[in-house]
Amino acid sequence: MSTYKELLQQREALESKIAEARQREISQAVSQARALVAEFGLTAQDVFPTGKTRAATSGSKVAAKYRDPATGKTWTGRGKAPKWIDGQDRTKFLIG
């Protein structure tokens, strides 16, 4: 049976081998990624999009679906229903 000190030395040696293997595999992965980027002429934006296109669409307005004939107020049908339509048949408030 191994002693505590021997096991600690084995752990240190194993952790060192793990770190070396990780660095070697990272280096290979980076080389492969660079080769693919060069082969297909990719840009950083192609590989790592900033997400601006998604943010631009998230704030877009939604067309109104319902209109209160008395006041002319509208509601898209999303979120909590306004008091003027709440609890009523919504078909009579449909726009167009």
Side-chain angles (χ1 to χ4, degrees):
M1 199 144 153
S2 300
T3 66
Y4 178 70
K5 287 184 180 184
E6 290 172 345
L7 291 173
L8 287 177
Q9 289 175 346
Q10 288 176 5
R11 181 175 72 180
E12 287 177 18
L14 184 57
E15 287 175 351
S16 175
K17 287 182 182 179
I18 290 171
E20 289 173 13
R22 183 175 192 279
Q23 281 303 116
R24 189 171 49 254
E25 290 182 22
I26 286 174
S27 177
Q28 290 172 351
V30 169
S31 295
Q32 288 175 346
R34 285 183 178 155
L36 289 171
V37 166
E39 180 181 345
F40 292 101
L42 300 173
T43 65
Q45 182 65 26
D46 293 332
V47 179
F48 302 106
T50 59
K52 289 183 181 179
T53 56
R54 184 175 188 203
T57 59
S58 66
S60 62
K61 297 276 184 176
V62 176
K65 190 173 179 181
Y66 303 98
R67 176 175 282 120
D68 181 6
T71 63
K73 292 184 179 180
T74 60
W75 179 51
T76 62
R78 295 183 176 183
K80 186 177 177 185
K83 290 183 181 181
W84 55 264
I85 199 171
D86 196 26
Q88 298 185 43
D89 180 24
R90 294 181 181 176
T91 56
K92 63 182 179 180
F93 295 101
L94 280 171
I95 297 174

